[in-house]
Amino acid sequence: MAAALGSALWLQQRGESDATVVDCDLLVGPCEFTTNAGVAWLELSPRPISSASPFQVNVSYPGDAPSSIWIDLQGKEMYMGINQVTLERTDESQSKHWEAEANLGICTTGIMRWVLNLILEQKDGQEVYQFEFDAR
């Protein structure tokens, strides 16, 4: 719990400028982005994403397996609490695919803009990739 809180505060303090912003619409399909190891993919499903239902987060990573992959979900305009999920390898022998189930906080304003920070933990540090999407 303390580690999660520390990570959340760390992400908030480092600001958006330290993350690589990925310009891709996760509501249309998988997003391709370039990491230090090559081209990776992030996909959320089923689409459209809704705060009323859990959704799957899938990552395909091209290089050697990171020590961990996790996401931090934040409301862009409204604080929605700490929402972090660690992804698991789908098959230990196939370390290139990771997945998890996630949920969004319920917002009473209708459509809300969300920021998803994808964090790749490596032996020599972190890579952070930032995506934005709308959800009801």
Side-chain angles (χ1 to χ4, degrees):
M1 181 83 153
L5 180 57
S7 295
L9 293 173
W10 175 79
L11 277 173
Q12 289 173 355
Q13 289 175 349
R14 37 180 292 157
E16 294 180 11
S17 63
D18 289 345
T20 300
V21 176
V22 180
D23 185 21
C24 179
D25 190 350
L26 285 165
L27 300 181
V28 174
C31 287
E32 178 181 290
F33 59 102
T34 302
T35 70
N36 292 341
V39 176
W41 293 85
L42 170 67
E43 182 174 21
L44 306 182
S45 63
R47 291 179 292 275
I49 305 302
S50 169
S51 61
S53 303
F55 59 95
Q56 284 295 121
V57 179
N58 292 289
V59 172
S60 292
Y61 186 75
D64 292 334
S67 56
S68 72
I69 298 178
W70 54 284
I71 60 170
D72 177 69
L73 291 159
Q74 302 173 20
K76 182 161 179 130
E77 304 295 326
M78 180 185 307
Y79 179 70
M80 298 296 288
I82 296 171
N83 187 350
Q84 298 175 338
V85 178
T86 301
L87 282 70
E88 301 292 331
R89 289 184 207 160
T90 57
D91 178 357
E92 287 297 322
S93 65
Q94 182 60 274
S95 62
K96 296 183 186 296
H97 300 284
W98 301 67
E99 68 180 27
E101 184 176 271
N103 291 286
L104 297 175
I106 295 175
C107 180
T108 58
T109 62
I111 296 177
M112 183 167 168
R113 190 78 172 161
W114 288 89
V115 176
L116 183 152
N117 287 299
L118 176 69
I119 298 94
L120 307 173
E121 297 282 352
Q122 305 285 6
K123 291 177 186 173
D124 58 347
Q126 292 181 327
E127 294 177 53
V128 181
Y129 299 91
Q130 188 173 85
F131 302 82
E132 291 188 14
F133 64 94
D134 293 321
R136 291 190 182 276

